Amino acid sequence: MSNTKESAFSIKNLKLLWGPLSLNNPVIVQILGICSSLAVTAKLKPAFVMAVSVTVVTAFSNLIMSWLRKGLPNRIRIIVQLVVIAALVIIVDQILKAFVYDVSKQLSVFVGLIITNCIIMGRVEAFALANKPWPSFLDGIGNGLGYGLILILLGFVRELFGSGTLWGYQVIPSSLYAAGYMNNSLMLLPPMALLLVGVIIWIHRSKNRDLIEK
């Protein structure tokens, strides 16, 4: 039993979880999933819900496609991937409508567009179809968390400085507004999100110069 646990949570497998959080982040290193990171991060709550949704879909699509990989004819590979991912997205969408309907309305069509998220398709193609289910599952979780980390960071900064709130609650005191402070409404526009992503990439690569050389 101990040997199984050691192999399941070996250093190699744990790197699949932690790698995408920094050195192999899908957004700021692989430059994937940029569109949704601009569209759903004006507020922290929708950003968090989208992060969880994509993580769930990425993890289970990797897991299912890894299970199917040996008996899957190459000519219908993409079709099967889309069917699996679409089914998972529909399940996630229905759960969101049942439990967080207000956020589901805010996310609107972007939940459905998870189906075409290049991070999910990319991990299935690049990893799940060539690896066993457990590492594929960890890889899906890791890349989902890496994507989610950027979304939550953007949502935090944009809502705080754009609306003066976090998770919908006022955090900047009224006395500061009375003294002349004003929210920066530019933070709520997609171009500002793109600028913030650029700043995050710049900071990340300045601290990891080996990524520039690669």
Side-chain angles (χ1 to χ4, degrees):
M1 182 66 70
S2 60
N3 290 335
T4 303
K5 288 184 178 179
E6 288 176 4
S7 60
F9 295 98
S10 63
I11 294 177
K12 181 180 179 181
N13 283 343
L14 289 177
K15 283 182 179 179
L16 298 174
L17 282 174
W18 302 120
L21 295 178
S22 179
L23 295 179
N24 198 29
N25 188 278
V27 179
I28 60 175
V29 177
Q30 301 177 46
I31 317 298
L32 301 174
I34 293 290
C35 296
S36 56
S37 66
L38 307 184
V40 302
T41 56
K43 301 287 184 181
L44 181 58
K45 190 174 182 179
F48 177 81
V49 172
M50 176 62 86
V52 173
S53 301
V54 170
T55 300
V56 170
V57 174
T58 307
F60 283 97
S61 61
N62 263 17
L63 179 65
I64 294 170
M65 291 308 300
S66 180
W67 272 335
L68 298 176
R69 74 189 190 283
K70 291 185 178 179
L72 185 63
N74 191 58
R75 64 182 180 276
I76 62 168
R77 184 185 79 253
I78 300 297
I79 297 174
V80 174
Q81 288 177 29
L82 288 174
V83 169
V84 169
I85 294 169
L88 291 169
V89 170
I90 290 170
I91 293 171
V92 168
D93 186 38
Q94 293 304 306
I95 292 173
L96 293 181
K97 287 179 178 177
F99 295 100
V100 283
Y101 184 71
D102 58 327
V103 179
S104 177
K105 286 183 66 178
Q106 291 179 55
L107 292 175
S108 183
V109 298
F110 295 103
V111 175
L113 289 175
I114 293 175
I115 296 171
T116 58
N117 191 306
C118 47
I119 296 173
I120 300 173
M121 295 292 291
R123 295 324 298 168
V124 169
E125 281 286 311
F127 197 90
L129 293 179
N131 291 275
K132 294 180 179 179
W134 177 247
S136 298
F137 185 65
L138 294 180
D139 178 81
I141 293 176
N143 279 274
L145 292 176
Y147 168 83
L149 176 65
I150 302 302
L151 258 66
I152 291 170
L153 181 59
L154 290 174
F156 179 91
V157 173
R158 293 181 69 192
E159 183 176 358
L160 178 61
F161 293 103
S163 303
T165 61
L166 285 175
W167 210 267
Y169 296 98
Q170 191 71 37
V171 294
I172 295 181
S174 299
S175 58
L176 200 56
Y177 288 106
Y181 176 82
M182 295 179 63
N183 294 326
N184 185 355
S185 58
L186 287 175
M187 280 289 180
L188 303 179
L189 300 177
M192 185 57 70
L194 183 61
L195 180 60
L196 288 174
V197 170
V199 170
I200 294 172
I201 292 174
W202 172 65
I203 293 172
H204 183 263
R205 298 207 172 189
S206 66
K207 293 181 177 296
N208 299 277
R209 294 187 175 275
D210 55 319
L211 293 176
I212 301 176
E213 295 174 0
K214 291 179 181 179

